[in-house]
RNA sequence: GCCGGCGUAGCUCAGUGGCCAGAGCAGCUGUUUUGUAAACAGCGGGUCGUGGGUUCGACUCCCUCCGCCGGCUCCA
């Protein structure tokens, strides 16, 4: 198994090398950076000085690569003492390779720290002193590379270049910007085709596309980038999910609070956010006072003010607040995209103020809530526990950290969640649990986190009176089930491909009249009223169009139930629901009484089920 | 913010340094009275993202800005 993966990686690595060979041929002045294998392919970073590679060049690049592959040139591995390799890099004006080699010579490792984990590749030799490095030659092209490579260029399977993008040298925004040419590579054409099909599937599910097709949200140039507006249909989605999250948390003892959207900046100076994230805050100027106000980028400091508004006893704790509200962050424009990254961020935010000995029980609570939430929306959940390491970069008492980390882990185990632990990944103010939700096509998304905070209670001087009358400091726990509702929706829309279950479907039932006769329209109208009385979201399509066309329109909107109304229904008082395919359970085309049908649907909405069963 | 690509009707997309810029769908009007994924006909609709420049002439070439897309960096 792992052999296979190693082979695949070697192959992709070799493909990167072959691509470099082709690039070098067309742009002899190319200066190469790193060219590793990725999850499904490879890339190479390259700097072409004054010119650039564009996707229009892919055809000739691919043709050249195919030529090299057909020639089946052997890959020759050349071991060189590191100084000779540096001389080679200098002779060939490979300034980036030279930099890497110098680092390698100095410290024994390189790149590793600067690049994302899976992107390490070119030459991390591991530890200790590096005496020599490897170069690989095929034909008359030589490249510095850790390898390994396949034996010869003929043994690389199927590939396709997919895009070209920008990337900073060594991931540092202060350094040169290079071009990163991405390709995908697989052992066979078949796998490559499957991959491309999967890409296409992901494209079909893209929430931006579905948001438009299903009429869920819009953007306007006049309003601004990263500021989505939700249509009536989209707002139903937001509100149903928010209500679910709120209900769930209220059941677990949270109380709703409300805080204003602007505040004096002193609040964030005290919390410490101003110095750290000040440039991401939107400023608001008062014309009446000299106050420097800001739009809130988070709710926790506000919530500490509610906590601190009266003296608290150990008997009062834990105190749990929830607020589903919108915060504003001035994200860099280049980072915005769809609903995934926005500047108006609606959070289902909550904060617990707890005693140290209550942490585990509270985390338990929150994990149970998260478990329930994600099981209802049918997404797999896995968690990552992030702990501190031994460095000094963390605030708060070390004993408190250790106790808290242990309690986190206990709670995760109690809730039988699949988890992994990462040391050194905690925030400076406390350990945390990140939730990774898996969507219908296998992608993982980080949505919610549970985050312990030892710092804000300190900075805000939060206290409670302990049993012995002394003052003690509570810990804060930040938690959101969805995280950002916008990001959550972007994930959920793609997860469900827009086929929303009844409880969130903006339109649950559509009635189609077969003709325009008043008998038919009246009957539809009566059923419509009946459904509305049950709180169902229903619409009648009485337009003067063919039934086929109206069905098609309803299908495209992915409406769960479509009811055709004509002579038969009027006579029998029974309908044959057309059930959206993903919900149907082998009892299609059976007539059901109108009363029973509506009751069933209303029940499905209340119980938030996915599948439908009209008959018992 | 940085690198690259892009911006033509509500949507998806054609189009050429030069007469009045096109199609399908959607919309509107009429005909049709329709039975489970597209009836037929007609009509309306675009200062070709924005501001400037080059040119006898620009939707087409160049620059600014706005926005979108793919990455990078970032993500309390």
């Amino acid at each position: 198994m792992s052999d296979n993966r190693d082979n695949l990686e070697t192959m992709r690595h070799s493909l990167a090398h072959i691509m470099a060979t082709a690039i070098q041929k067309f742009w002899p002045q190319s200066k190469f950076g790193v060219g590793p294998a990725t999850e499904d392919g490879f890339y190479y970073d390259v700097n072409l000085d004054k010119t650039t590679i564009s996707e229009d060049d892919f055809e000739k690049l691919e043709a050249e690569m195919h030529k090299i592959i057909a020639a089946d040139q052997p890959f020759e591995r050349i071991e060189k003492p590191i100084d000779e390799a540096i001389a080679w890099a200098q002779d060939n004006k490979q300034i980036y390779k030279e930099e890497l080699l110098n680092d390698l010579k100095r410290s024994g490792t390189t790149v590793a720290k600067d690049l994302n984990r899976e992107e390490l590749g070119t030459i991390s030799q591991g530890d200790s002193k590096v005496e020599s490095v490897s170069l690989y030659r095929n034909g008359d092209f030589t490249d510095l590379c850790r390898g390994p490579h396949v034996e010869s260029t003929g043994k690389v399977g199927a590939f396709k270049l997919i895009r070209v993008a920008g990337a900073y040298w060594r991931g540092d925004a202060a350094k040169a910007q290079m071009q990163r040419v991405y390709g995908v590579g697989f052992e066979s054409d078949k796998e490559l085709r499957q991959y491309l099909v999967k890409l296409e599937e992901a494209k079909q599910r893209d929430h931006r596309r579905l948001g438009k097709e299903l009429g869920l949200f819009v953007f306007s140039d006049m309003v601004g980038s990263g500021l989505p507006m939700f249509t009536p249909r989209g707002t139903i989605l937001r509100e149903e999910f928010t209500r679910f999250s709120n209900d769930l948390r209220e059941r677990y003892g949270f109380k709703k609070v409300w805080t204003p959207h602007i505040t004096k900046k002193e609040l964030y100076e005290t919390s410490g956010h101003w110095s750290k994230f000040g440039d991401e805050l939107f400023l608001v100027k008062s014309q009446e006072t000299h106050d420097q106000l800001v739009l809130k980028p988070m709710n926790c400091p506000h919530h500490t003010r509610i906590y601190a508004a009266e003296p608290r006893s150990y008997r009062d704790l834990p105190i749990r607040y929830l607020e589903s509200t919108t915060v504003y962050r001035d994200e860099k424009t280049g980072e915005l995209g769809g609903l995934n990254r926005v500047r108006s961020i609606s959070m289902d935010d909550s904060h617990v103020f707890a005693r140290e000995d209550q942490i585990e029980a509270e985390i338990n609570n929150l994990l149970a809530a998260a478990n329930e939430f994600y099981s209802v929306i049918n997404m797999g959940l896995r968690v990552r526990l992030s702990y501190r390491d031994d460095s000094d970069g963390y605030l708060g008492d070390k004993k408190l950290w250790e106790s808290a980390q242990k309690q986190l882990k206990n709670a995760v185990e109690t809730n039988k969640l699949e988890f992994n632990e990462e040391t050194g990944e905690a925030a400076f103010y406390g350990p945390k649990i990140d939730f990774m939700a898996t969507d219908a096509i296998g992608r993982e998304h980080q949505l919610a986190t549970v985050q312990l905070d030892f710092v804000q209670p300190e900075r805000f001087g939060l206290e409670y009176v302990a049993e012995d009358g002394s003052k003690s400091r509570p810990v804060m726990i930040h938690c959101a089930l969805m995280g950002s509702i916008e990001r959550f929706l972007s994930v959920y829309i793609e997860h469900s491909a827009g086929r929303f279950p009844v409880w969130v479907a903006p339109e649950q039932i559509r009635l189609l009249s077969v003709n325009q006769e008043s008998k038919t329209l009246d009957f539809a109208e009566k059923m419509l009223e009946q459904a509305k009385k049950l709180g169902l979201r229903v619409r009648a399509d009485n337009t003067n169009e063919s039934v086929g066309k109206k069905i098609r329109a309803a299908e495209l909107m992915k409406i769960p139930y479509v009811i055709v109304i004509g002579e038969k229904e009027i006579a029998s008082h029974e309908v044959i629901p057309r059930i959206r395919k993903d919900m149907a359970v082998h009892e299609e085309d059976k007539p059901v009484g109108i009363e029973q049908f509506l009751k069933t649907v209303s029940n499905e909405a209340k119980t938030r089920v996915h599948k439908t069963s009209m008959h018992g």
Side-chain angles (χ1 to χ4, degrees):
Chain A
M1 194 66 205
S2 93
D3 260 11
N4 263 337
R5 188 166 352 185
D6 286 352
N7 288 343
L8 202 54
E9 198 180 318
T10 300
M11 192 199 87
R12 287 169 176 161
H13 210 152
S14 308
L15 276 164
H17 184 115
I18 292 169
M19 180 170 75
T21 312
I23 291 173
Q24 168 89 1
K25 179 181 164 168
F26 294 114
W27 296 277
Q29 75 282 20
S30 299
K31 300 198 176 19
F32 293 100
V34 295
T38 64
E39 208 177 313
D40 31 47
F42 56 93
Y43 68 77
Y44 220 121
D45 284 349
V46 59
N47 194 331
L48 302 186
D49 285 336
K50 303 213 160 48
T51 164
T52 56
I53 297 177
S54 88
E55 289 179 18
D56 298 335
D57 298 318
F58 281 2
E59 203 174 317
K60 72 175 185 193
L61 270 178
E62 285 177 350
E64 180 64 23
M65 288 173 71
H66 282 302
K67 243 164 77 186
I68 296 165
I69 291 167
D72 201 18
Q73 302 163 341
F75 275 117
E76 183 189 349
R77 182 185 167 97
I78 307 160
E79 288 273 345
K80 266 194 205 299
I82 191 141
D83 287 320
E84 267 182 47
I86 291 171
W88 166 86
Q90 284 168 344
D91 289 348
N92 289 281
K93 302 204 171 60
Q94 289 296 340
I95 53 174
Y96 302 106
K97 298 291 189 190
E98 188 186 338
E99 188 182 327
L100 293 174
L101 285 164
N102 278 320
D103 274 14
L104 200 55
K105 187 181 170 186
R106 204 174 319 119
S107 61
T109 59
T110 183
V111 226
K113 232 177 126 252
D114 307 324
L115 294 172
N116 295 336
R117 256 174 222 98
E118 69 259 38
E119 294 175 1
L120 319 178
T122 314
I123 36 170
S124 65
Q125 296 284 35
D127 42 338
S128 75
K129 269 183 71 182
V130 174
E131 310 273 335
S132 66
V133 296
S134 58
L135 287 81
Y136 279 84
R137 182 165 65 200
N138 62 305
D140 47 16
F141 179 70
T142 307
D143 189 26
L144 172 75
C145 189
R146 178 198 52 179
H149 280 352
V150 293
E151 289 158 44
S152 61
T153 58
K155 306 214 164 28
V156 289
F159 77 95
K160 184 169 163 51
L161 302 185
I162 49 170
R163 74 174 75 95
V164 51
Y168 295 111
W169 169 232
R170 310 192 83 172
D172 183 345
K175 295 196 165 128
Q177 182 112 34
M178 308 181 72
Q179 282 199 292
R180 178 169 294 180
V181 186
Y182 280 95
V184 291
F186 294 92
E187 303 210 354
S188 66
D189 280 331
K190 194 177 152 204
E191 284 166 287
L192 176 62
R193 273 199 308 275
Q194 281 169 349
Y195 175 83
L196 296 174
V197 166
K198 211 178 124 190
L199 264 194
E200 183 55 31
E201 167 68 14
K203 215 168 119 191
Q204 295 296 328
R205 285 170 180 259
D206 189 309
H207 75 278
R208 290 165 297 198
R209 177 197 188 113
L210 287 169
K212 206 176 266 181
E213 286 173 5
L214 304 179
L216 302 174
F217 53 88
V218 297
F219 288 90
S220 160
D221 284 6
M222 236 184 270
V223 173
S225 185
L227 299 169
M229 287 161 287
F230 285 77
T231 61
R233 302 181 86 90
T235 304
I236 287 167
L237 283 183
R238 286 176 66 103
E239 294 200 332
E240 286 294 343
F241 282 117
T242 303
R243 179 160 61 209
F244 184 31
S245 169
N246 288 354
D247 287 354
L248 208 48
R249 286 175 296 157
E250 282 186 307
R251 211 163 82 212
Y252 283 97
F254 285 80
K255 301 278 185 252
K256 272 187 191 154
V257 295
W258 184 90
T259 63
H261 286 232
I262 58 174
T263 172
K264 290 200 284 185
K265 74 174 201 185
E266 278 87 332
L267 185 67
Y268 300 117
E269 285 170 345
T270 302
S271 71
H273 293 114
W274 181 263
S275 57
K276 233 176 136 63
F277 305 108
D279 56 340
E280 284 187 26
L281 303 191
F282 285 105
L283 304 179
V284 181
K285 202 170 149 196
S286 169
Q287 299 189 64
E288 296 293 333
T289 69
H290 296 295
D291 291 342
Q292 171 72 269
L293 299 163
V294 298
L295 274 168
K296 66 175 174 185
M298 61 196 49
N299 305 298
C300 24
H302 279 98
H303 290 182
T304 70
R305 301 300 77 212
I306 300 176
Y307 174 90
E310 41 186 295
R312 305 291 179 179
S313 148
Y314 71 99
R315 296 174 203 276
D316 299 332
L317 302 188
I319 288 173
R320 310 183 185 94
Y321 297 144
L322 85 86
E323 181 174 17
S324 291
T325 184
T326 306
V327 299
Y328 297 87
R329 297 178 191 176
D330 199 1
E331 308 278 358
K332 306 264 175 288
T333 54
E335 294 161 354
L336 302 170
L339 292 183
N340 202 28
R341 197 75 181 272
V342 292
R343 294 195 289 183
S344 53
I345 308 160
S346 307
M347 318 181 64
D348 59 334
D349 209 359
S350 32
H351 296 101
V352 182
F353 300 85
R355 301 192 308 254
E356 194 188 324
D357 62 292
Q358 293 174 320
I359 294 174
E360 184 173 337
E362 286 310 299
I363 301 290
N364 242 322
N365 238 347
L366 292 168
L367 292 180
N371 245 342
E372 185 171 341
F373 190 90
Y374 283 89
S375 97
V376 165
I377 65 169
N378 216 8
M379 290 183 90
L381 208 56
R382 182 174 78 72
V383 302
R384 182 176 63 215
L385 287 161
S386 298
Y387 303 146
R388 64 173 291 167
D389 54 28
D390 284 332
S391 67
D392 301 327
Y394 302 95
L395 298 180
D397 179 44
K398 204 166 172 182
K399 276 218 180 77
L400 179 54
W401 272 84
E402 278 162 12
S403 141
Q405 290 178 177
K406 205 163 156 241
Q407 295 186 61
L408 287 188
K409 187 172 176 180
N410 286 344
V412 166
E413 286 176 334
T414 304
N415 282 279
K416 299 190 169 62
L417 283 160
E418 188 193 327
F419 69 96
N420 65 308
E421 299 165 283
E422 305 250 4
T423 305
E425 290 294 312
F428 68 92
Y429 49 84
K432 62 176 176 177
I433 301 177
D434 292 314
F435 294 79
M436 310 301 296
T438 308
D439 73 16
I441 53 176
R443 298 171 300 185
E444 271 199 339
H445 307 268
Q446 194 207 307
L447 293 168
T449 65
V450 171
Q451 171 79 63
L452 257 55
D453 186 346
F454 309 135
V455 169
Q456 284 196 64
E458 185 80 34
R459 299 190 73 120
F460 282 107
L462 302 184
E463 302 181 323
Y464 64 88
V465 180
E467 214 170 346
D468 62 2
S470 67
K471 305 268 196 214
S472 285
R473 182 132 294 158
V475 297
M476 268 179 95
I477 305 170
H478 310 253
C479 172
L481 297 178
M482 291 185 276
S484 138
I485 294 172
E486 288 79 14
R487 178 176 290 179
F488 171 81
L489 283 178
S490 79
V491 169
Y492 187 77
I493 289 168
E494 299 186 6
H495 169 62
S496 63
R499 294 185 286 262
F500 304 122
V502 176
W503 70 279
V504 280
E507 186 179 341
Q508 295 160 325
I509 304 173
R510 184 173 290 187
L511 308 178
L512 308 184
S513 57
V514 164
N515 56 39
Q516 303 295 104
E517 284 161 25
S518 60
K519 195 169 62 166
T520 318
L521 298 185
D522 288 349
F523 191 85
E525 179 66 22
K526 247 176 70 193
M527 184 167 169
L528 189 77
E529 288 309 316
Q530 215 176 333
K532 280 184 180 165
K533 262 189 206 141
L534 288 168
L536 292 168
R537 297 184 285 263
V538 55
R539 257 194 53 199
D541 182 352
N542 293 332
T543 52
N544 181 11
E545 297 286 354
S546 68
V547 173
K549 186 162 180 173
K550 295 205 253 191
I551 296 261
R552 181 178 147 81
E555 284 285 340
L556 290 173
M557 292 305 279
K558 307 190 180 185
I559 293 163
Y561 298 105
V562 177
I563 305 288
V564 175
I565 290 178
E567 292 291 344
K568 281 184 270 180
E569 287 74 19
I570 296 172
S572 67
H573 258 73
E574 286 187 327
V575 294
I576 301 174
R578 188 185 163 99
I579 302 169
R580 204 181 57 210
K581 280 193 228 55
D582 59 295
M583 306 188 336
V585 288
H586 338 288
E587 50 183 35
E588 27 317 357
D589 299 341
K590 277 205 216 153
V592 53
I594 288 177
E595 195 89 2
Q596 192 195 338
F597 167 72
L598 294 176
K599 252 174 62 191
T600 306
V601 178
S602 147
N603 212 35
E604 286 177 349
K606 281 196 195 100
T607 53
R608 301 190 169 104
V609 298
H610 282 90
K611 294 282 178 187
T612 189
S613 178
M614 290 290 154
H615 304 273

